[in-house]
Structure formats: structure tokens, C-alpha cells
Amino acid sequence: MRAFDNRRVSDVREKPRLRWHFGIRLLHWLTVIALAAQIAIAFGPMDGPGMATMSWLPLHMSIGVTILAVIILRLCWRIFIRAPVRQTSRFMRFATSFFHVLLYVTILAVLITGWLGYRPMPFMPPARLFGNLPVPLAPSVGATRAFASIHAKLVWILLGFVGVHILAAFVHFALLRDDIMYTMLFGRPDIASRKEKAQLAVDDDAGGSRNRP
């Protein structure tokens, strides 16, 4: 009887996660906040005269480096953390994974082209990351203005992907009501595991009552 109970406990422990790990959720929302700040700066004070752009450039690049670090950390973390189990079709799982790959690739492309397109203006000090670290100049692999133009176009593509991502989140929240948004915001109790533990307690009580004289 004890061996059977140990096997049941082992099965409960091996059940797949039904919620995102806290670290993954934290990195996700840090990325969202940093991207929102980046877009606000790019289409706000940086979308003005040249001097205004240069004065906001260090902060813009500092946030970009932060986004790059967060994404790399998140991708490394995902190697060891399984995604929550969803009762969806294979096509939906493939489409979701493919879209997220495109989103990550676009973000990285925006960051890299922004770095390749950066060149300090004559007679101006180079931008410093977080006010202290000098920005290393990218290798000269082409016309700087070309990369700056590609960077600007990729930003619009990224905004399109972000819009699709937000729309999908709204569909899950308002129409499908499958708790995906709630899971990413707050996590979700492992309902299946809790039921299994409750069943184990019932079985233990039943076994104890049978063994009592």
C-alpha cells in the first residue's frame, strides 16, 4: 500500500506545469515595460530636431541594451523551463511558437540595426550607456544611413507584431476565457495537482480506516 502511495505521489510531482514560472513572467513584463518606454521615447522627444534626438539617444540605447539582456536571459531560462500545458491543437501550438520566434527575431533585428546605424555626430561626445559605459562602435559593414533606415522600417514591423500579440491576448481574455492572460499576470493554481493531492488524502484516510480494527 505504501509503495502504491509513493508511486501516486511521484506521478503528481512529474505532472507538467500548468502555469508559467514566476521568473519567465517577470522577464516578460520587464520586456513589455522596456519596449513601451522605448517606443514612447522614439516617437516622442527623439522625433524632433537633431539636438533633441542626440540628447535622448543615450537613454534610448541604454534601454535597448536592457531589452537585449532581458531577452537573452529569458531565452536561456526557457531552455530549462517547460511551457504550461494547453489543450489546443497541434496547428495552434505551431502557429503560436512560430509567431513568438518571429517576434523575438524582429526585436533582435531592431536592436542590431539600431547599433549598426549609430555613429556619433562630429564634435559631439559619444553616447554613454547608463551614463557611464561608452557605446562601442559597430564594425563598418555598410552605409550607416542604410542601417538607420532599416532600423526605422523594422520598428513599424515590430509594432505590427505587438498589435497582433495584444489582439491575441484580448481574444484569449474576453472570448476564449482560457485563463492564459490571468496565468501570465498572476500565475494559476495547479488545479490538477491539487485534485491529485486531495485524492491521495482520501485514499490515505480510507486505507487507515480499513487497517484499524
Side-chain angles (χ1 to χ4, degrees):
M1 184 68 181
R2 181 173 298 177
F4 176 76
D5 290 343
N6 290 337
R7 182 172 61 84
R8 290 287 302 274
V9 172
S10 176
D11 291 342
V12 169
R13 290 175 179 174
E14 292 176 0
K15 276 186 173 298
R17 294 183 63 86
L18 297 180
R19 61 177 183 270
W20 282 110
H21 191 278
F22 173 76
I24 293 293
R25 290 186 284 119
L26 177 62
L27 294 175
H28 172 270
W29 292 110
L30 285 177
T31 306
V32 170
I33 293 171
L35 283 175
Q38 197 75 310
I39 292 171
I41 292 173
F43 289 93
M46 288 192 69
D47 192 22
M51 292 302 297
T53 299
M54 294 305 298
S55 63
W56 283 88
L57 185 61
L59 178 59
H60 183 70
M61 299 188 73
S62 298
I63 296 176
V65 171
T66 302
I67 294 173
L68 178 62
V70 170
I71 287 179
I72 292 176
L73 180 59
R74 184 177 176 183
L75 292 176
C76 292
W77 203 323
R78 279 286 286 112
I79 295 175
F80 305 99
I81 299 296
R82 291 183 179 181
V85 177
R86 306 293 183 196
Q87 298 298 324
T88 57
S89 66
R90 182 177 300 178
F91 172 77
M92 285 300 298
R93 291 195 297 269
F94 171 79
T96 301
S97 299
F98 183 71
F99 175 81
H100 280 89
V101 169
L102 284 179
L103 185 60
Y104 280 124
V105 169
T106 305
I107 293 174
L108 293 175
V110 169
L111 297 173
I112 292 173
T113 54
W115 179 51
L116 292 173
Y118 165 70
R119 285 296 182 274
M121 295 180 64
F123 309 110
M124 291 194 67
R128 289 185 172 272
L129 299 176
F130 310 105
N132 294 312
L133 303 174
V135 178
L137 293 179
S140 182
V141 293
T144 302
R145 289 187 176 181
F147 284 112
S149 177
I150 295 173
H151 175 74
K153 290 180 173 61
L154 285 173
V155 168
W156 286 106
I157 296 175
L158 175 60
L159 289 176
F161 284 150
V162 169
V164 172
H165 189 63
I166 294 174
L167 179 61
F170 178 78
V171 169
H172 281 288
F173 176 75
L175 300 180
L176 300 179
R177 297 182 179 179
D178 52 8
D179 289 340
I180 286 183
M181 274 295 295
Y182 185 84
T183 301
M184 185 53 73
L185 282 168
F186 309 108
R188 187 177 62 177
D190 195 335
I191 298 173
S193 178
R194 191 168 58 190
K195 289 182 178 179
E196 288 283 344
K197 292 177 181 178
Q199 185 62 43
L200 281 177
V202 172
D203 293 343
D204 288 341
D205 292 340
S209 61
R210 286 195 299 268
N211 294 332
R212 286 195 295 270

